[in-house]
Amino acid sequence: MAVPLLRTLILYFAVIAAVRLMGKRQIGELDPSELVVTILVSDLAAVPMQDLGIPMASGIIPIATLIVLEILLSWLALKSRFFRRVLNGQPAIIIRSGKLDIQKLRQMRLTTDEVVETLRKQNVSSVADVKYGVIEPDGSLTVVLKQPQQPVTAEMLGLTPKDIGLPLVVVSDGKLVYRSLQLLHLDPRDIENRLKNQSLALSDVFLMTLDDCGNTFLQRKEGR
């Protein structure tokens, strides 16, 4: 019983290390080469995990080889635009000035239903509202709206909204997050004084976020 458990743990952490080395991306944003490597790594790890007669090296060595290959290909893609296009493809414009490019849709084997559904997910109600629609190499659709349909910004209205920064969690479930305090150049006393001014103790706070502009969000624990 201990041997299968140990093999499973080793392969589990090997796959985690492999994915971390590939970088952080969502499944839908993987390039073709990254998706292939991800599928192969999971298959290679499953075989020695299920069959105790197969040596561990038969799973770990191919996984390491694939990761090294993926890193090498990524480096080559950074150095060569031509190689990057061959490996990952290039963007394709499927909508121009509110009209679908039928030939391009057929070439990419996309249906009109898929395009309309993707537009709805981006809160675009009609193809006619789109100036350019681009299928990216990872398969996602980037939309550039026509001028009348573009969202209104503060600059258009001549307004200067309150400045905001990146909110960082400084208190989580009654405990200080010291890494966030370091990034904000604060010490625990600063947070405790802020809470004291609101007649709160650290243990009373469920969540507190703070950005570099001084904007704060605070939520108390239930019943406090």
Side-chain angles (χ1 to χ4, degrees):
M1 184 67 182
V3 174
L5 177 61
L6 181 61
R7 290 166 64 95
T8 300
L9 289 175
I10 292 174
L11 289 167
Y12 172 75
F13 287 112
V15 173
I16 288 180
V19 174
R20 288 293 302 273
L21 288 171
M22 288 175 58
K24 294 182 179 180
R25 290 206 193 195
Q26 297 180 5
I27 294 299
E29 298 176 350
L30 292 177
D31 291 330
S33 61
E34 294 172 332
L35 180 59
V36 170
V37 170
T38 302
I39 295 173
L40 290 177
V41 164
S42 62
D43 288 340
L44 288 170
V47 173
M49 192 181 297
Q50 295 172 353
D51 191 346
L52 299 181
I54 299 177
M56 288 286 294
S58 299
I60 294 178
I61 292 177
I63 289 174
T65 303
L66 284 174
I67 297 306
V68 171
L69 178 61
E70 172 59 27
I71 293 174
L72 177 61
L73 292 177
S74 298
W75 182 80
L76 291 174
L78 287 173
K79 298 297 182 180
S80 172
R81 183 178 179 85
F82 173 77
F83 184 81
R84 184 163 62 249
R85 288 185 175 181
V86 171
L87 186 65
N88 299 324
Q90 55 185 338
I93 300 176
I94 63 169
I95 303 176
R96 294 177 184 270
S97 301
K99 293 184 179 180
L100 292 168
D101 188 328
I102 299 176
Q103 184 177 358
K104 187 65 68 174
L105 289 178
R106 290 175 178 171
Q107 180 182 341
M108 303 189 70
R109 296 184 297 278
L110 289 173
T111 66
T112 53
D113 290 338
E114 290 173 327
V115 176
V116 172
E117 178 184 352
T118 306
L119 290 176
R120 286 200 302 267
K121 290 179 179 179
Q122 299 193 34
N123 296 321
V124 179
S125 59
S126 174
V127 177
D129 297 337
V130 180
K131 184 175 183 180
Y132 292 107
V134 183
I135 296 292
E136 305 294 351
D138 61 9
S140 61
L141 176 63
T142 299
V143 171
V144 178
L145 295 173
K146 292 182 178 179
Q147 189 173 2
Q149 279 72 40
Q150 291 178 2
V152 178
T153 64
E155 182 181 5
M156 295 177 182
L157 299 176
L159 301 177
T160 305
K162 182 180 179 181
D163 194 15
I164 60 174
L166 176 65
L168 299 175
V169 178
V170 293
V171 179
S172 177
D173 199 9
K175 296 180 181 179
L176 290 169
V177 181
Y178 290 97
R179 174 171 172 77
S180 298
L181 295 181
Q182 292 175 356
L183 293 173
L184 293 169
H185 305 291
L186 298 173
D187 59 45
R189 291 183 181 179
D190 295 322
I191 302 301
E192 291 173 357
N193 290 334
R194 286 173 180 263
L195 296 176
K196 188 177 180 180
N197 292 334
Q198 300 187 44
S199 301
L200 289 173
L202 187 63
S203 58
D204 296 331
V205 180
F206 178 71
L207 174 66
M208 179 178 178
T209 63
L210 184 65
D211 63 22
D212 54 358
C213 296
N215 300 307
T216 305
F217 170 82
L218 191 150
Q219 180 176 337
R220 301 185 185 189
K221 290 183 178 179
E222 293 183 359
R224 298 295 180 94

